[in-house]
Amino acid sequence: MKEKIRKIENEVEKLLKNSKTLEDIEGIRIKYLGKKSELSNLLKSLKNLTQEEKKEIGPLANNARKNIHSKIDKKKELLEENFDAETEWIDVSAPGNEIKKGSLSPLSIVQQDIENIFTAIGFEVADGPEIESEYFNFDGANMPANHPARDMQDTFWIKTDSGDGNGQVLRTHTTNCQVRYMQTHTPPFRIIVPGRVFRQEATDASHEHTFHQFEALVVGKNVSVANFLSVAKSFFSAFFGKDISVRVRPSYFPFVEPGFEFDISCTNCGGKGCSTCQQTGWLEIGGAGMVHQNVLVEGGYKRDEYTGFAWGFGLERLAMMKYKINDIRLFHSGDTRFGKQF
Ligand code: DAH
């Protein structure tokens, strides 16, 4: 029996020396320490021995078991620490797995561009609520109840039109921030207000129920149409990175007098005429005008003490021009193939 035990120990020693993987080691463990192993059987058969023999063989067999155990553990540790450079090398120059990154919406990019251009020339960026009182959205902007101009903007009413300015709406334009800002600030000031607005209208390639505008408002002494034209020209030239001309056409908005529609020279052909501008050389941008004295009075100023200019137009439209996007519905489509391009 002594011989047998020694033989087992030798065998294990040899096998461990030649083993290369953790699986090899596990195989050895099962074969030599498992329930059905030679050593286990040997230990079980001790009971058939004489008292004398038991005393001698018992400790030998137990020691052998302990030895094998610790040798297996050691080899295991060794294998875990040292990897085989032949088979387990790492190519540090291999390209990694691509990490999927999100991207900024073209609207965010355009909004950041606009804010950078305006803050550089001394404008502040102001903000206002999307759920707005009827007063700031309409009445304060010189559109009292039953004013026909309210029909120009199909409105989502949250609390219905009570006729006393206490209704609640999803703001239909960023013009809601004009009187809001005036009531808490004293001229002179220059602000822009980028933000989300809502209209209850059918969608198509150029109309959305939810879109963004940005309002500009400059109020002070002797602010003139010439100031408006010059700021507009500087802004659009900076935004498109080329010389842009601006023109105005007479129009009507209740909160301005006089009011204009204004156009910029075509960003594609520079004014010569092409398919983008339908051969006119001009692109329609939005509304503008000299702030109506009624609005300045709602803002808390004395009539005729100040003058100001304002404009409001769609951020989507600017983004569509800049990036040649042909359908406004793409902005809210949630299609990542769209978002990834900017
Ligand atoms: N609020 C107008 C709209 O959404 C746009 C607008 C026109 C804003 C003229 C202005 C302005 O500030 O002066 O249709």
Side-chain angles (χ1 to χ4, degrees):
M1 259 192 189
K2 277 196 238 163
E3 269 304 297
K4 219 178 190 176
I5 294 173
R6 201 168 307 129
K7 203 183 117 230
I8 292 173
E9 279 192 291
N10 285 342
E11 264 178 35
V12 172
E13 185 110 15
K14 240 194 226 156
L15 284 173
L16 281 179
K17 215 179 232 169
N18 294 330
S19 59
K20 293 217 164 63
T21 66
L22 292 172
E23 284 97 85
D24 291 348
I25 307 278
E26 182 58 11
I28 296 171
R29 193 190 63 77
I30 291 170
K31 184 163 176 208
Y32 290 94
L33 295 176
K35 272 190 194 147
K36 290 180 183 148
S37 66
E38 240 179 305
L39 199 58
S40 298
N41 287 336
L42 196 143
L43 282 163
K44 273 182 223 153
S45 66
L46 283 181
K47 60 178 187 292
N48 305 326
L49 301 181
T50 63
Q51 208 55 28
E52 284 294 293
E53 286 170 321
K54 268 188 207 163
K55 263 193 192 156
E56 197 191 348
I57 307 289
L60 267 183
N62 270 326
N63 269 343
R65 208 184 144 79
K66 266 193 217 150
N67 268 342
I68 293 173
H69 230 300
S70 77
K71 277 182 184 155
I72 285 180
D73 284 352
K74 259 193 206 136
K75 179 77 182 192
K76 208 170 152 186
E77 257 175 48
L78 221 99
L79 278 183
E80 278 168 351
E81 276 171 19
N82 298 327
F83 65 92
D84 182 346
E86 279 293 314
T87 57
E88 295 177 42
W89 61 282
I90 296 169
D91 179 359
V92 291
S93 68
N97 293 334
E98 192 194 349
I99 297 170
K100 292 221 166 74
K101 282 190 291 189
S103 47
L104 283 180
S105 153
L107 280 179
S108 303
I109 299 173
V110 162
Q111 184 173 330
Q112 281 172 8
D113 286 353
I114 291 172
E115 291 181 6
N116 288 340
I117 294 168
F118 275 101
T119 50
I121 54 171
F123 278 63
E124 252 177 72
V125 180
D127 202 5
E130 291 174 353
I131 296 177
E132 181 58 289
S133 70
E134 180 183 4
Y135 170 74
F136 284 119
N137 196 80
F138 289 127
D139 303 58
N142 201 28
M143 276 192 271
N146 304 322
H147 193 291
R150 285 198 183 193
D151 296 339
M152 282 161 68
Q153 303 179 350
D154 298 311
T155 308
F156 286 113
W157 287 90
I158 289 180
K159 196 171 133 222
T160 38
D161 188 358
S162 48
D164 56 6
N166 288 327
Q168 293 272 318
V169 300
L170 290 183
R171 68 173 171 192
T172 57
H173 51 186
T174 44
T175 306
N176 72 317
C177 293
Q178 290 198 9
V179 170
R180 267 187 178 281
Y181 191 88
M182 289 177 197
Q183 289 185 352
T184 49
H185 295 80
T186 310
F189 60 75
R190 286 166 264 184
I191 59 167
I192 55 165
V193 187
R196 194 155 60 145
V197 301
F198 310 85
R199 302 271 171 98
Q200 190 175 14
E201 56 185 20
T203 60
D204 61 29
S206 47
H207 295 90
E208 254 292 14
H209 48 73
T210 302
F211 56 103
H212 296 73
Q213 286 187 333
F214 93 91
E215 195 87 3
L217 177 67
V218 173
V219 178
K221 297 270 184 204
N222 305 319
V223 175
S224 67
V225 177
N227 295 145
F228 156 69
L229 289 172
S230 137
V231 170
K233 183 178 169 59
S234 311
F235 164 68
F236 283 105
S237 299
F239 182 76
F240 286 107
K242 53 176 124 173
D243 191 43
I244 299 277
S245 310
V246 176
R247 75 170 184 187
V248 292
R249 290 173 284 121
S251 184
Y252 172 74
F253 299 96
F255 25 90
V256 282
E257 179 56 39
F260 326 117
E261 293 280 354
F262 83 98
D263 307 332
I264 61 171
S265 53
C266 177
T267 52
N268 191 39
C269 65
K272 287 190 203 80
C274 68
S275 59
T276 305
C277 57
Q278 278 142 11
Q279 311 304 329
T280 63
W282 296 96
L283 298 172
E284 283 178 27
I285 288 287
M290 299 307 293
V291 182
H292 200 293
Q293 285 299 326
N294 288 354
V295 176
L296 293 166
V297 167
E298 291 297 329
Y301 313 142
K302 262 200 244 136
R303 190 172 293 275
D304 295 329
E305 189 177 3
Y306 297 109
T307 55
F309 72 76
W311 80 50
F313 44 72
L315 276 188
E316 277 81 354
R317 183 151 167 74
L318 283 191
M320 288 167 86
M321 284 177 183
K322 188 154 187 169
Y323 296 114
K324 302 200 175 4
I325 298 165
N326 60 10
D327 193 324
I328 195 172
R329 290 167 294 192
L330 284 167
F331 290 102
H332 284 153
S333 64
D335 189 336
T336 52
R337 290 169 307 177
F338 172 67
K340 264 198 243 156
Q341 298 174 50
F342 305 97

